């Protein structure tokens, strides 16, 4: 998704957006909503990496790029759930069922 399109979509869903230079050939978008921080680095017009920081945490965590849209559209009361599902390398706990 192009940085301009992502900026428009984020603003439509209530995120404030700041754009800054990135470490690579594209910008970094910093999105803020209800004390959540979502940073998306671009390589040209494509997202290269994304990180999210919760209101209760000072460390950011990597986010699956395919989850960006669901995070943007999430109701403020559901951002935590969407973030937990989007964090790379962490899966929600599963219940094990033993066969009889």
């Amino acid at each position: 998704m192009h940085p301009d399109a992502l900026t428009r979509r984020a603003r439509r869903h209530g995120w404030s957006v700041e754009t800054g230079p990135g470490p690579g050939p594209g910008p970094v978008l910093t999105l803020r909503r209800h004390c959540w921080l979502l940073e998306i680095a671009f390589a040209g017009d494509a997202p290269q990496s994304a990180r999210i920081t919760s209101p209760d945490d000072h460390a950011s965590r990597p986010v699956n790029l395919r989850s960006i849209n669901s995070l943007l559209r999430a109701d403020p009361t559901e951002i935590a759930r969407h973030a937990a599902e989007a964090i790379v390398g962490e899966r929600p706990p599963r219940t094990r069922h033993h066969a009889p």
Side-chain angles (χ1 to χ4, degrees), residues 25-99:
V28 171
L29 298 183
T30 302
L31 312 177
R32 297 177 194 276
R33 185 176 185 200
H34 296 276
C35 300
W36 285 87
L37 179 69
L38 179 60
E39 295 175 302
I40 305 163
F42 284 80
D45 292 341
Q48 179 180 20
S49 65
R51 299 188 68 80
I52 194 162
T53 307
S54 74
D56 303 328
D57 197 359
H58 297 290
S60 64
R61 295 204 155 121
V63 171
N64 183 326
L65 296 176
R66 293 180 181 195
S67 301
I68 292 172
N69 283 327
S70 68
L71 287 166
L72 292 181
R73 292 189 310 258
D75 183 83
T77 61
E78 295 182 358
I79 292 176
R81 182 178 60 84
H82 286 273
E85 293 171 356
I87 292 173
V88 174
E90 293 184 22
R91 294 183 180 243
R94 292 176 51 167
T95 305
R96 293 183 173 228
H97 296 284
H98 297 283

